[in-house]
């Protein structure tokens, strides 16, 4: 794994993250600069910078876990909608070079944004991760 990849460090539990759920191939955790309450990232365990590098199997696994977490977010937070966003390259807004899918609960009238400016409170993220996980089938 690249030494300086923060998401590889999260996968390896060398960096902290508020995990929602994980399986053999992918991990879901709360975004630390959330655009909206419940903003969750889903990543493959295996490092790949973006859609141009990732293999099919980890991409499928990431999509499948994102689907499960999407249902849990809807059940937990009842947003008006849910944006699924995935950036490839700086021009598309990518800032972390390990493939990731954003799950962003959306509500009517809220302005669209791609990046949050405020680091979330850890206790709040921990509570949110638990709340979403509570809506996943065991
Ligand atoms: P991108 O801009 O590449 O599409 O998304 C990167 C996302 O990762 C951003 O929403 C940013 O807030 C989030 N992020 C960056 N560093 C960390 C981190 O150390 N922990 C967590 N949980 N999220 C991070
Ligand atoms: Zn990585």
């Amino acid at each position: 794994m690249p030494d300086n990849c923060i998401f590889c460090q999260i996968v390896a539990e060398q960096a902290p993250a508020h995990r929602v759920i994980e399986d053999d191939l992918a991990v879901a955790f709360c975004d630390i600069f959330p655009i909206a309450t419940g903003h969750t990232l889903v990543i493959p365990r295996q490092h790949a910078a973006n859609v141009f590098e990732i293999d099919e199997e980890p991409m499928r696994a990431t999509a499948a876990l994102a689907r499960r977490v999407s249902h849990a977010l809807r059940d937990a937070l009842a947003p008006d909608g849910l944006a699924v966003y995935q950036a490839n390259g700086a021009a598309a807004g990518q800032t972390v070079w390990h493939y990731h899918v954003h799950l962003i609960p959306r509500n009517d009238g809220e302005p669209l944004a791609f990046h949050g400016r405020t680091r979330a409170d850890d206790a709040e993220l921990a509570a949110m991760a638990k709340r979403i996980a509570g809506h996943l089938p065991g």
Side-chain angles (χ1 to χ4, degrees):
M1 86 175 182
D3 300 339
N4 56 356
C5 176
I6 181 65
F7 287 179
C8 280
Q9 289 167 12
I10 286 173
V11 168
E13 296 187 28
Q14 289 165 5
H18 297 286
R19 292 177 184 229
V20 173
I21 185 175
E22 58 196 295
D23 63 23
D24 290 350
L25 295 176
V27 181
F29 54 94
C30 295
D31 195 297
I32 210 170
F33 287 91
I35 301 170
T37 302
H39 183 174
T40 302
L41 300 174
V42 189
I43 67 172
R45 287 184 184 276
Q46 188 181 87
H47 181 84
N50 52 37
V51 73
F52 303 114
E53 280 191 9
I54 192 170
D55 289 334
E56 237 184 72
E57 192 188 25
M59 188 165 166
R60 279 179 197 278
T62 303
L65 197 62
R67 178 181 174 279
R68 291 183 68 191
V69 176
S70 296
H71 282 262
L73 281 168
R74 187 179 61 176
D75 293 348
L77 303 173
D80 294 325
L82 181 89
V84 180
Y85 175 66
Q86 196 274 307
N88 302 282
Q94 185 173 12
T95 60
V96 175
W97 302 91
H98 180 128
Y99 182 90
H100 52 279
V101 172
H102 293 263
L103 303 177
I104 306 168
R106 305 270 320 149
N107 286 299
D108 291 335
E110 280 174 4
L112 271 171
F114 286 126
H115 293 107
R117 294 217 179 117
T118 314
R119 194 195 182 292
D121 178 75
D122 272 316
E124 280 176 24
L125 288 183
M128 181 55 62
K130 207 169 159 189
R131 184 166 163 196
I132 301 163
H135 289 267
L136 284 159

